[in-house]
Amino acid sequence: MIEPAKSPLLTLSDGNVIPQVGLGVYKVENEIAGPLVSKALQVGYRLIDTASMYLNESGVGQGIVDSGVPREEIFVATKFWMDDLGYSNTLRAFEKSLGLLGLEYLDFYLIHWPAPKRGLLYVESWLAMERLKNEGLVRSIGVSNFHSHHLDQILKVAEHTPVLNQVELHPLLTQESLMSYHASHSILTQAWSPLARGQILSNELVNSIAKIHNRSASQIVLRWHIQRGVSVIPKSTSRERIIENMNVFDFVLTSDEMNAISALNVNYRTGVDPEDRN
Ligand code: NDP
């Protein structure tokens, strides 16, 4: 029996904490999400990242129940889709997600995309999210796929700064300037597609570093994120790979290795630029 691994916790600007490594469940069907989440919680995961758009929130909720892990030990993050931007839509979307998850509160609620061609609806949504936080229904509120100028709009009106921004981030898209913006506003950078949807795993440099450390390519890339202070939510449907992805806290990359991996950046996106997603 493999000893369950646990992720360190990072402290957020609102005083709450978040496990640095979590499980993402994008493209995991609802029927599979339950057993997957339950398995992940049993092997030591404590952060689960879903979204209304993934259509698997009820499966995630079932997995939480089936895992036997106490609710208060688990961090659940979900997001609302662009069609629910705006103040009252956001409140409605929240109620729906909470119901599907079968929870009484959320740990993290995120705006999925800013959809800037729809104007400043995302700012109205932010005000609704602040209300949810103030009412104790969400512990921490954040955003996803925001460029710094979208964050600027929120910061102009915010009572609560977003605790994190979940963005596409991996060695082919290192997001240096956005990360410095985050650092200057105490916003945690969280990486989606931290493995570039698997596309970075055959990279020659990553594999040569993996050989040196006797680790997998995935562990090297995740370790690179960890040492940059980033939170990661890799997705895998395999029990072995889920365990492998959590076992990244007992080795260290050298600064030369870190720099070499960062130098793979070509500003390549596996997904859409947030500016164009509407
Ligand atoms: P990832 O970068 O996590 O890559 C997932 C792919 O890598 C899958 O094909 C998986 O295959 C494979 N993989 C995972 N671990 C290993 C391993 N140890 N060895 C070999 N292959 C591995 O991509 P995602 O796009 O899924 O991103 C992760 C999460 O980020 C999502 O699930 C979602 O929660 C979030 N996300 C958020 C977005 C947003 O707009 N906010 C957009 C996209 C994602 P297998 O399952 O077969 O192991």
Side-chain angles (χ1 to χ4, degrees), residues 28-63:
V28 176
E29 282 174 26
N30 200 42
E31 299 70 44
I32 295 171
L36 179 67
V37 165
S38 171
K39 188 161 53 185
L41 292 169
Q42 282 163 3
V43 301
Y45 278 75
R46 288 295 177 267
L47 169 64
I48 308 294
D49 180 81
T50 183
S52 61
M53 191 275 249
Y54 303 170
L55 302 175
N56 58 19
E57 289 173 307
S58 65
V60 168
Q62 192 58 49

Side-chain angles (χ1 to χ4, degrees), residues 26 49 144-145 166 193 195 197 235-237 241 245:
Y26 180 39
D49 180 81
S144 176
N145 296 304
Q166 182 186 112
S193 296
L195 305 173
R197 300 195 167 149
K235 170 260 172 190
S236 179
T237 47
R241 290 195 284 278
N245 291 345

